[in-house]
Amino acid sequence: MVQGRGHDGSNPRARGILVRVWTIRTSWNTVGDGDFFCPECGGDRNFRRRTGRRRLAVFGVPLFSRGDAGPVVECAACESHFGTDALDHPTTTRFSAMLRDAVHTVALAVLAAGGTSSRTVTATAAATVRAAGYDDCTEEQLIALIEALAADTGRYLADTDADPCGAALAIELHESLEPLAPHLAPAGRESILLQGARIALADGPYSPAEREVLTTVGGALRLCADDVSRLLAAARTPS
């Protein structure tokens, strides 16, 4: 029986043999592990950080080095490989904590700027923080924290005539909000600003200090100035 040939005159069986004879194999070595958010699985998973060496194999026997491979992040569940920038995305657990802490920081900043004498404001702030995940937060806890911080460093209760926000307060807000902003959709970033705005408005219009703090919040969340102004105006309008 005559062996058939491909349209280019080659022997398909021989061509298949050549594919199997010459292969590139990668030998992987695990150099670290941990938890990450797997883009393929869509959830938190264990990962292995791996580096490798490529070799040209003949008949399955590695013979010649073809250089380094990786480093890569390998999901322990689906075994997909990703670039190491996959580790920049927070896990679901870490993201929840970042979001909770961001709302807590914004609430404290707004309270500090507007004062804590209004029970309506402190009640609104405590309810906002509880909704964000601090289930046991109370008005008294927020007031005590602000008083302790003010007594310790004065960083929250700045001179409202000269610098309504205060350099140190701005740093606190940026440190809490900037790492979170890239992982939030625009609606999520706007929501955090609006939560702060509603705390400020609980006892009436924004004070200059409150507006300054909320402007800083918007900037740290990567919202442009026009969007910040629009959102602060919208928060004043009853729904």
Side-chain angles (χ1 to χ4, degrees):
M1 181 175 179
V2 178
Q3 173 67 45
R5 293 185 176 274
H7 68 276
D8 59 355
S10 63
N11 186 321
R13 181 177 296 175
R15 194 164 62 242
I17 290 173
L18 287 176
V19 171
R20 289 191 295 270
V21 168
W22 301 93
T23 58
I24 301 294
R25 290 192 173 184
T26 304
S27 176
W28 293 104
N29 179 46
T30 299
V31 295
D33 57 20
D35 298 325
F36 85 130
F37 181 88
C38 176
E40 187 68 25
C41 295
D44 295 349
R45 298 291 186 270
N46 297 125
F47 75 86
R48 292 184 290 263
R49 186 184 180 101
R50 314 195 79 184
T51 59
R53 294 282 294 175
R54 297 189 187 93
R55 291 185 179 277
L56 179 66
V58 180
F59 291 110
V61 180
L63 296 177
F64 306 108
S65 174
R66 301 288 289 184
D68 297 330
V72 300
V73 173
E74 179 184 275
C75 176
C78 68
E79 298 186 345
S80 297
H81 284 187
F82 309 96
T84 55
D85 57 354
L87 300 180
D88 295 337
H89 193 293
T91 63
T92 302
T93 301
R94 175 58 182 154
F95 178 77
S96 296
M98 292 170 67
L99 188 58
R100 181 181 66 235
D101 291 345
V103 173
H104 186 259
T105 301
V106 170
L108 284 175
V110 174
L111 280 179
T116 57
S117 60
S118 170
R119 290 299 302 273
T120 303
V121 171
T122 56
T124 301
T128 300
V129 173
R130 285 195 298 271
Y134 282 111
D135 299 336
D136 299 328
C137 179
T138 66
E139 297 175 55
E140 291 74 19
Q141 288 174 349
L142 293 178
I143 293 171
L145 181 55
I146 290 174
E147 291 175 348
L149 291 170
D152 182 34
T153 64
R155 57 182 167 177
Y156 274 103
L157 302 180
D159 181 349
T160 55
D161 293 328
D163 184 4
C165 183
L169 175 55
I171 292 172
E172 294 280 347
L173 289 169
H174 281 282
E175 288 180 346
S176 177
L177 300 178
E178 285 184 343
L180 177 65
H183 308 294
L184 281 174
R189 287 180 274 135
E190 292 179 358
S191 175
I192 293 177
L193 177 62
L194 287 172
Q195 289 178 73
R198 292 182 185 117
I199 294 171
L201 292 169
D203 64 343
Y206 304 117
S207 68
E210 289 170 338
R211 183 176 287 277
E212 181 70 16
V213 165
L214 292 170
T215 299
T216 300
V217 169
L221 289 169
R222 299 186 179 182
L223 296 172
C224 70
D226 288 344
D227 284 340
V228 171
S229 297
R230 171 180 59 81
L231 291 165
L232 295 185
R236 291 199 305 265
T237 305
S239 57

